[in-house]
C-alpha cells in the first residue's frame, strides 16, 4: 500500500489481525510501513484514520467499522489542548466528555460520507473586513491551520497585517505585531465561531522546501488553497482547540461546542446540554493504550495537535 499525508508519505505492506486502540480491539486490515518520507514528527508510533471507509486505501473497511459500536455509541470526540495550559488532549470514543466544553453543541449535517465534510455556507469577519463563505469544509485534527479559498485567506491576512511568505506558502506575522493579532469569526451552521486573538499566533519550525533548512516563523493560522472541489476548506487544530468537536457516525453529523481550558479561555455560553448516553474521562500518552473504565465499550487516550511536525502557540 501507499499512503499520502499532508506532511509525508509511507509505503508498506498490509496485514490483518487484532488492532487495539483506546481500549477497544477489532480484527481489521492495517498497513505496516516499510519506507517513510518527509515525516519529521518524533515519538509517533502510527496514524489511525477516523474518516469513513470511502477514504480508506486499504480494502476491508476502517478500524471504526470493524469495532462495530452500537448505534448510540458510534460517536467520538476530540479535546485539543493549549500548550501553555499544561493539560493534555483527549480522544473519547463511545460518547463525549461534557466536562471539556460549555454551552450548546452546534450540529451540522455531513454532505457525504468520506471525510467529515459539511456545508460551509456562511460568512467571515476579521478586523473590519467581511465576506461570504461557501462550498464544503472538513473538520480535520491532522492539520494545524484553517484552510480557506486563496482570495479569502489573502483578504483576512491583509486585514490583520500578516504577510505572505513565499518560501513556505504561508502567512507570517511580523515581530512588531506579536500580541496584537485580531480575532477571526467564521459563521456557518447558524452560529458565529470566533477564534480569539490570543489563538491567532503560532510559532512554528518548518523545513524550507527550497534549501531544506529549518525556518522559524510566527504564523497567522489562516492559509489559502481551498480553490476547487478537490481542495475543500479545512478547519484544523487552530479551530478545534477553541471548539470541542464531536463526530456522530450514526446520525451523520459533526458538532462543535466551546472548549473549556484550564486557563479559562473558553467563552461564556448557555447551560450545559443534557448528558450523553455514554461519557468518559481520563487520558494516556498517545503511544500507550488506555483501558476503558467499566461499562460499555468506550475509552480515551491523550492526543496532541501537531503542525507539520513541530509547533506550539507563542506564549
Amino acid at each position: 500500500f501507499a499512503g499520502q499525508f499532508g506532511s509525508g508519505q509511507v509505503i508498506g505492506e498490509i496485514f490483518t489481525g487484532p488492532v487495539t486502540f483506546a481500549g477497544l480491539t477489532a480484527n481489521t486490515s492495517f498497513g505496516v510501513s516499510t519506507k517513510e518520507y518527509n515525516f519529521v514528527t518524533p515519538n509517533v508510533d502510527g496514524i489511525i484514520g477516523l474518516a469513513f471507509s470511502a477514504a480508506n486505501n486499504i480494502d476491508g473497511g476502517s478500524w471504526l467499522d470493524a469495532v462495530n459500536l452500537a448505534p448510540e455509541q458510534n460517536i467520538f470526540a476530540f479535546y485539543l489542548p493549549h500548550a501553555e495550559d499544561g493539560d493534555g488532549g483527549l480522544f473519547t470514543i463511545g460518547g463525549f466528555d461534557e466536562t471539556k466544553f460549555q454551552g450548546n453543541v452546534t450540529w451540522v449535517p455531513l454532505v457525504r460520507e468520506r471525510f467529515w465534510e459539511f456545508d460551509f455556507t456562511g460568512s467571515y469577519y476579521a478586523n473590519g473586513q467581511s465576506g461570504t463563505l461557501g462550498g464544503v469544509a472538513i473538520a480535520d485534527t491532522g492539520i494545524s491551520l484553517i484552510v480557506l479559498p486563496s482570495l479569502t485567506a489573502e483578504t483576512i491576512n491583509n486585514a490583520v497585517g500578516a504577510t505572505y511568505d513565499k518560501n513556505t506558502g504561508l502567512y507570517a506575522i511580523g515581530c512588531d505585531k506579536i500580541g496584537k493579532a485580531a480575532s477571526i469569526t467564521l459563521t456557518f451552521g447558524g452560529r458565529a465561531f470566533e477564534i480569539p486573538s490570543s489563538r491567532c499566533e503560532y510559532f512554528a519550525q518548518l523545513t524550507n522546501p527550497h534549501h531544506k533548512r529549518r525556518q522559524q516563523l510566527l504564523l497567522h493560522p489562516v492559509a489559502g488553497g481551498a480553490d476547487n472541489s478537490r481542495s475543500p476548506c479545512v478547519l484544523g487544530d487552530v479551530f478545534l482547540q477553541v471548539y470541542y468537536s464531536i463526530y456522530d457516525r450514526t446520525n451523520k453529523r459533526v458538532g462543535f461546542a466551546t472548549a473549556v481550558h484550564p486557563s479559562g479561555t473558553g467563552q461564556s455560553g448557555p447551560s450545559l446540554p443534557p448528558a450523553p448516553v455514554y461519557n468518559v474521562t481520563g487520558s494516556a500518552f498517545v503511544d500507550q493504550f488506555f483501558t476503558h473504565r467499566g461499562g460499555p465499550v468506550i475509552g480515551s487516550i491523550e492526543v496532541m495537535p501537531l503542525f507539520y511536525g513541530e509547533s506550539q502557540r507563542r506564549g
Side-chain angles (χ1 to χ4, degrees):
F1 83 101
Q4 181 67 49
F5 302 92
S7 60
Q9 181 183 20
V10 297
I11 297 173
E13 301 178 7
I14 298 174
F15 291 79
T16 300
V19 176
T20 300
F21 181 68
L24 304 178
T25 300
N27 285 307
T28 188
S29 296
F30 57 93
V32 175
S33 66
T34 56
K35 294 183 179 180
E36 303 170 2
Y37 304 94
N38 299 323
F39 276 102
V40 295
T41 304
N43 303 322
V44 171
D45 292 328
I47 296 173
I48 185 166
L50 298 174
F52 293 90
S53 293
N56 196 355
N57 63 355
I58 296 177
D59 293 337
S62 68
W63 176 82
L64 280 171
D65 291 330
V67 170
N68 195 27
L69 295 172
E72 66 271 19
Q73 293 179 287
N74 205 3
I75 188 171
F76 62 90
F78 277 98
Y79 166 81
L80 299 186
H82 293 147
E84 66 269 31
D85 290 340
D87 66 332
L90 189 68
F91 165 72
T92 302
I93 187 167
F96 53 87
D97 187 345
E98 62 182 356
T99 69
K100 294 298 185 182
F101 66 89
Q102 63 183 4
N104 294 330
V105 178
T106 297
W107 295 102
V108 289
L110 302 183
V111 297
R112 65 171 178 162
E113 296 176 40
R114 181 173 172 83
F115 301 104
W116 289 91
E117 305 171 55
F118 53 90
D119 182 22
F120 202 44
T121 301
S123 61
Y124 67 86
Y125 177 85
N127 202 26
Q129 295 294 316
S130 62
T132 59
L133 298 171
V136 172
I138 296 174
D140 187 357
T141 60
I143 184 173
S144 288
L145 303 179
I146 297 171
V147 182
L148 300 176
S150 295
L151 291 178
T152 300
E154 182 179 9
T155 299
I156 291 174
N157 281 287
N158 286 341
V160 301
T163 57
Y164 184 74
D165 181 77
K166 64 181 181 180
N167 291 325
T168 62
L170 302 172
Y171 288 87
I173 301 174
C175 293
D176 60 326
K177 294 182 174 62
I178 294 176
K180 302 177 183 178
S183 63
I184 303 167
T185 300
L186 305 176
T187 301
F188 61 91
R191 176 177 175 177
F193 296 90
E194 181 184 4
I195 298 94
S197 59
S198 61
R199 302 303 169 193
C200 289
E201 298 173 357
Y202 264 75
F203 178 75
Q205 297 185 58
L206 307 176
T207 300
N208 188 311
H210 298 285
H211 50 64
K212 305 298 182 183
R213 294 178 182 174
R214 301 293 282 169
Q215 181 176 1
Q216 295 184 352
L217 287 176
L218 182 64
L219 296 177
H220 190 262
V222 174
D227 298 317
N228 54 60
S229 59
R230 298 187 62 183
S231 300
C233 298
V234 181
L235 300 182
D237 295 340
V238 171
F239 183 89
L240 300 176
Q241 284 179 323
V242 182
Y243 295 97
Y244 187 83
S245 55
I246 308 171
Y247 305 83
D248 186 344
R249 286 166 54 89
T250 297
N251 296 300
K252 308 299 186 286
R253 60 182 183 170
V254 59
F256 302 105
T258 303
V260 175
H261 295 277
S263 62
T265 53
Q267 301 165 353
S268 62
S271 60
L272 285 171
V277 176
Y278 301 115
N279 187 44
V280 60
T281 58
S283 63
F285 292 109
V286 293
D287 60 349
Q288 299 173 336
F289 296 116
F290 184 82
T291 304
H292 65 275
R293 305 190 336 178
V297 282
I298 50 181
S300 60
I301 64 169
E302 186 180 25
V303 294
M304 181 63 69
L306 300 172
F307 178 78
Y308 299 110
E310 301 175 29
S311 78
Q312 61 181 11
R313 202 190 72 79
R314 187 176 181 89

